[in-house]
Amino acid sequence: MTAAQYLPDFAYIVAIALFILSLSWLSSPATARRGVLAGEIGAALAVITTFFNPELVQFKWIVIALAGGAAIGIPLGMVPMTAVPQRTAMSHAFGALAAALIGISEYYIQIPNISKFEMMEIALEVIIGSLSFTGSLVAAGKLQELLPQRPIVYRGQNYVSLSVLGLAGALALILIFHPAHTVCFLFMVVISLVFGVLLVTPIGGADMPTVISLLNSYVGFTAALLGFVLNAKVLVVAGALDGASGFILSVIMCRAMNRSFTNVMFGAFGQLQVSTAGATEERTVRSATPEEAASILEAANSVMIVPGYGMAVAQAQHKVREFYDVLTKRGIDVRFAIHPVAGRMPGHMNVLLAEADVPYDRLIEMEDANSEFPQVDVALVIGANDVTNPAARHDKSSPIYGMPILEVDKARTVMVIKRGMSPGFAGIENELYYLDKTLMIFGDAKGVVGSLVRELTGGHEH
Amino acid sequence: MTSEMISNLYVFVLAGFVGFEVIRRVSPLLHTPLMALTNALDAIVVVAAIIIAGRRGTALSAILGSIAVAAAFSNMVGGFLITDRMVRMFKLSGRGRQKP
């Protein structure tokens, strides 16, 4: 053994250190770009080092595959910010696909000389990789609205899904004792692919932040397991980092909805509560025109904007920025209260507003926003619904009871921009809309904010 | 149980804790770029795919390996690209901001 033989390992260790630095520099926007650069250098170092691996005998297909990967990756890296949730789901799918395929080919290379532990690692890796692949594809389909966003459920669904998973587990068990059963192996792969579809199909659009985070952690742990299979520590570390990240985000998302993992995965929110909607018919709402709303806004000292998925759907973020500019120019203090599950993935609202050039020091987290609301003159809700429902605080019969909300009802005046009176994802009436201090401004988010900007600039567009 | 598996387990547990501590500090502002960046870092499986695709082996492993190289590398390229685009968008308020 000479020192030169360990050179690749040193390169991988440097890559790992750069990955950890990369993530720690991502902790704040000021150092985030440096973090991306560190990650890029680490990844490039690892890839280049691998090219000098003496086991490699042909390069043609590798180069073609790398070119193909770049040809897919570059457009996926250039998507608009509104498409980032589905892009993320697609990249989970690609990551899971790569890991599953490597596991599958490793199985075929190693049989029949394969120990029980190795087989266990491979089976687990291939099962999780395959189900994450199809699960992520379904998630991407829902986010792209190729598939319906509402939960698709049927009676006994959870039993069917769990039996399918059980079957995959049973096949894995057979393989551990009889690794050469290639038919068993193929069947296990197919069953796992089917389970991924069954797992994500029943989950509704509003639960996507949690599902995307969970799939993220599955993909990470698949890569780590692959590291075990191949005895490649660089994969173990990168996979553990990715898995930990997805896991932390899932926990944050679940907490922000006051729900458990099992409830998200098997709960199919939104089916049971539709029946309660009838009781609210005689209640009245106060509606206002953009003109009336603008005159109230002019008199305000502080405005808190609460953006939600509706803002993303209407692509209203740039109009919202104009609105922010107009109010700020008048000396009004404008900030944005961001609920952790607003939008379709963690941090979705922040990137949309940052894209529209809203300074990030104007974006406030839920806890801080809630201590501010009692001093706020106007809370303006744009395309958010359930995360503002005061029923979460006091109505024990409400399905969102206990969910942390943005307490917009504590502001002096509440304005809600909404298309109509339809309930949110959980099918729950929002009692915020019936408060005396609430003004409903009906219309498309982009259109209404545009009219507000026009009113506030006195009709003189520049 | 092999000694390799045990040493991998050490690495996994330690890396998991490091990841937990580091990622806990990431501002919620940056949770979307975080997910894009960890996807790009996770795409390091491309190094395993390159070896599977390029070493002496069966046609099957060359094909599966090549597909895996393409899938993982698309994540690496796309992930870094979009993370960089996103983090560049985050700006503080104050002087010097210009309309594009």
Side-chain angles (χ1 to χ4, degrees):
Chain A
M1 285 275 177
T2 62
Q5 271 181 295
Y6 292 110
L7 269 179
D9 276 308
F10 283 121
Y12 288 142
I13 290 168
V14 172
I16 285 170
L18 284 168
F19 284 4
I20 293 170
L21 278 175
S22 168
L23 288 171
S24 60
W25 278 328
L26 199 70
S27 59
S28 99
T31 53
R33 284 202 78 186
R34 198 193 309 160
V36 179
L37 189 65
E40 286 168 346
I41 295 170
L45 182 67
V47 171
I48 292 166
T49 305
T50 308
F51 267 94
F52 293 99
N53 189 309
E55 278 185 70
L56 296 182
V57 291
Q58 67 88 13
F59 288 92
K60 196 176 94 188
W61 287 107
I62 298 175
V63 172
I64 292 172
L66 287 174
I72 303 166
I74 291 170
L76 277 178
M78 298 307 291
V79 298
M81 288 301 125
T82 38
V84 161
Q86 46 270 47
R87 191 217 80 94
T88 307
M90 277 313 289
S91 74
H92 291 341
F94 284 140
L97 175 70
L101 289 179
I102 298 167
I104 290 169
S105 69
E106 191 63 16
Y107 168 78
Y108 280 103
I109 291 164
Q110 290 199 9
I111 48 164
N113 303 316
I114 200 163
S115 77
K116 287 194 177 64
F117 280 113
E118 283 167 336
M119 191 61 231
M120 193 176 73
E121 289 170 352
I122 291 179
L124 198 58
E125 196 268 334
V126 170
I127 290 176
I128 303 179
S130 307
L131 74 87
S132 308
F133 172 56
T134 49
S136 301
L137 283 182
V138 174
K142 284 191 176 228
L143 290 163
Q144 185 67 38
E145 292 183 31
L146 299 171
L147 299 169
Q149 294 223 7
R150 65 184 160 76
I152 300 166
V153 287
Y154 55 86
R155 198 173 284 278
Q157 185 167 41
N158 291 342
Y159 297 103
V160 174
S161 304
L162 287 175
S163 321
V164 171
L165 182 64
L167 186 56
L171 289 164
L173 210 61
I174 296 172
L175 281 165
I176 289 171
F177 292 99
H178 307 283
H181 262 300
T182 50
V183 178
C184 245
F185 184 81
L186 281 179
F187 200 39
M188 182 187 79
V189 173
V190 173
I191 293 282
S192 307
L193 293 171
V194 172
F195 178 72
V197 176
L198 297 178
L199 187 70
V200 180
T201 314
I203 300 172
D207 281 334
M208 278 302 150
T210 320
V211 173
I212 284 201
S213 309
L214 268 181
L215 288 168
N216 183 7
S217 78
Y218 290 172
V219 175
F221 289 130
T222 312
L225 274 166
L226 188 62
F228 277 77
V229 172
L230 304 170
N231 193 30
K233 298 212 167 37
V234 65
L235 297 193
V236 175
V237 175
L241 294 174
D242 192 25
S245 168
F247 183 73
I248 292 172
L249 292 174
S250 318
V251 171
I252 295 172
M253 294 303 112
C254 279
R255 263 194 211 144
M257 296 176 101
N258 190 36
R259 301 171 64 194
S260 65
F261 284 149
T262 17
N263 190 273
V264 172
M265 299 312 282
F266 302 109
F269 221 39
Q271 295 313 100
L272 42 152
Q273 291 307 323
V274 187
S275 55
T276 55
T280 51
E281 264 162 33
E282 68 270 27
R283 290 205 268 173
T284 52
V285 298
R286 289 169 63 202
S287 73
T289 62
E291 199 180 346
E292 291 158 353
S295 64
I296 298 172
L297 285 163
E298 274 172 336
N301 287 318
S302 58
V303 173
M304 189 80 87
I305 299 174
V306 179
Y309 182 56
M311 185 187 78
V313 172
Q315 309 250 8
Q317 66 271 27
H318 296 282
K319 275 279 171 244
V320 169
R321 210 290 301 265
E322 280 179 42
F323 177 69
Y324 162 84
D325 281 347
V326 170
L327 290 184
T328 307
K329 222 175 272 171
R330 284 171 172 264
I332 301 168
D333 180 54
V334 188
R335 280 168 302 169
F336 294 80
I338 313 287
H339 194 281
V341 295
R344 285 294 184 261
M345 72 177 291
H348 191 185
M349 289 300 124
N350 300 308
V351 284
L352 284 181
L353 292 169
E355 182 200 24
D357 246 354
V358 173
Y360 67 82
D361 51 329
R362 301 276 97 192
L363 312 177
I364 318 183
E365 291 171 42
M366 180 166 58
E367 292 77 20
D368 300 332
N370 281 343
S371 60
E372 298 274 344
F373 275 120
Q375 290 95 50
V376 165
D377 293 323
V378 179
L380 176 66
V381 181
I382 306 177
N385 188 349
D386 297 297
V387 297
T388 62
N389 192 343
R393 281 203 307 265
H394 60 78
D395 181 2
K396 288 205 169 104
S397 67
S398 170
I400 58 166
Y401 177 71
M403 174 171 132
I405 58 157
L406 287 164
E407 296 170 344
V408 290
D409 55 308
K410 296 196 172 157
R412 289 194 188 94
T413 305
V414 183
M415 293 180 190
V416 180
I417 300 176
K418 209 172 178 313
R419 281 174 171 281
M421 286 305 288
S422 64
F425 75 88
I428 311 159
E429 280 287 347
N430 192 340
E431 55 181 66
L432 178 72
Y433 305 157
Y434 304 99
L435 297 177
D436 283 340
K437 61 164 82 163
T438 304
L439 289 173
M440 304 296 291
I441 314 168
F442 291 111
D444 165 72
K446 197 173 176 177
V448 171
V449 178
S451 336
L452 286 175
V453 171
R454 264 195 307 283
E455 292 296 335
L456 288 163
T457 48
H460 303 298
E461 285 272 27
H462 41 265
Chain B
M1 189 78 72
T2 61
S3 61
E4 276 170 357
M5 194 175 161
I6 293 297
S7 74
N8 284 330
L9 210 53
Y10 273 113
V11 172
F12 177 74
V13 171
L14 290 176
F17 273 102
V18 170
F20 191 82
E21 286 303 318
V22 169
I23 287 149
R24 226 160 43 100
R25 290 183 172 82
V26 174
S27 155
L29 275 177
L30 296 175
H31 276 167
T32 300
L34 168 68
M35 208 179 263
L37 181 68
T38 52
N39 263 327
L41 300 183
D42 189 70
I44 195 70
V45 296
V46 76
V47 304
I50 287 173
I51 292 171
I52 299 266
R55 73 181 168 192
R56 204 176 302 283
T58 59
L60 179 75
S61 66
I63 294 167
L64 294 184
S66 300
I67 299 173
V69 168
F73 197 60
S74 77
N75 263 359
M76 192 173 266
V77 173
F80 282 126
L81 198 59
I82 201 158
T83 313
D84 194 53
R85 278 179 60 215
M86 285 193 278
V87 298
R88 263 187 300 162
M89 289 169 185
F90 284 86
K91 296 181 196 92
L92 280 170
S93 57
R95 312 281 93 195
R97 269 201 315 123
Q98 300 226 309
K99 270 197 165 179

